[in-house]
Amino acid sequence: MSRFALVLVLFLLLAVGCVRGPQVSLGETAEGGPVSKIEVLLGEYFFQMEDRAKGSPLVLQAGRKYEIEFVNMGSELHEVLLGRGLVRAGGKPARYQKSLLEGVPVEVEGKTVVGDKLRAFEVEAEGLEELELEPGVELEIEFTLPADRVGEWELACLVPGHYEAGMRLPVVVEGKR
Ligand SMILES: [Cu+2]
């Protein structure tokens, strides 16, 4: 009888182990992999990677997870567009032919201070094309670029006059090393 009880306990432990096993490994998989954080400042009229000289290109690697935080430290509304093949309308930059994040799952997190309160939100989207940031707003996007995005792109603000004034930055996507 006592031997039967011991076998039963062992069986229960094994059963619990089997149930827990995959859950733990799933959790590790979901959190696994290093995340590269980049901060990009926006102002009149520039994009600048934190701790880098103005005009330094934004270099990303395909297959790597990124968290890019855009901070509007200026006094005007600014946009964030990532793409290539600038399309002009009436001689003025209007949009990109192809968006860098087309078909890519993107997590967007935003925060802003209203009065003395911090407001935050989170959105999950696919194929993000454009972000708009009021002064003082911080937006973070999280994504992993597929291998077919390797090449040269551009980060820009297409609020009338801003692109021409210098609100653009080269973006280089490299293959996985
Ligand atoms: Cu702008």
Side-chain angles (χ1 to χ4, degrees):
M1 188 62 192
S2 65
R3 192 170 178 182
F4 174 74
L6 184 65
V7 169
L8 186 68
V9 167
L10 278 173
F11 177 77
L12 282 173
L13 281 174
L14 276 173
V16 169
C18 286
V19 170
R20 277 193 182 159
Q23 283 176 338
V24 170
S25 66
L26 268 178
E28 282 167 357
T29 307
E31 289 169 18
V35 177
S36 301
K37 292 192 177 194
I38 298 172
E39 194 172 316
V40 179
L41 308 173
L42 286 73
E44 288 81 41
Y45 295 94
F46 63 87
F47 286 100
Q48 185 178 10
M49 286 170 65
E50 205 198 13
D51 302 327
R52 295 282 188 90
K54 275 183 189 173
S56 291
L58 174 59
V59 181
L60 305 172
Q61 277 174 40
R64 192 161 170 176
K65 194 174 191 179
Y66 285 97
E67 271 179 31
I68 303 185
E69 188 169 47
F70 295 100
V71 181
N72 186 357
M73 51 187 294
S75 54
E76 295 179 26
L77 170 97
H78 292 296
E79 295 172 347
V80 168
L81 283 98
L82 287 154
R84 69 175 158 209
L86 192 69
V87 177
R88 289 173 187 267
K92 292 181 174 167
R95 62 182 175 88
Y96 282 113
Q97 243 167 31
K98 175 142 175 117
S99 167
L100 175 66
L101 297 170
E102 192 180 289
V104 176
V106 182
E107 222 166 273
V108 185
E109 261 182 68
K111 51 188 172 195
T112 184
V113 176
V114 180
D116 56 351
K117 283 182 182 162
L118 184 70
R119 307 281 184 191
F121 70 88
E122 207 178 314
V123 183
E124 273 183 47
E126 200 179 284
L128 184 85
E129 217 166 284
E130 183 183 322
L131 293 170
E132 283 193 2
L133 286 83
E134 294 278 356
V137 170
E138 295 177 27
L139 282 177
E140 188 182 279
I141 57 173
E142 199 178 301
F143 58 87
T144 303
L145 292 172
D148 66 2
R149 303 301 148 96
V150 169
E152 288 177 17
W153 301 80
E154 194 174 60
L155 164 66
C157 169
L158 300 185
V159 169
H162 291 200
Y163 185 88
E164 296 89 330
M167 273 203 88
R168 54 182 191 260
L169 202 68
V171 177
V172 181
V173 180
E174 298 178 335
K176 212 171 181 180
R177 283 177 200 165

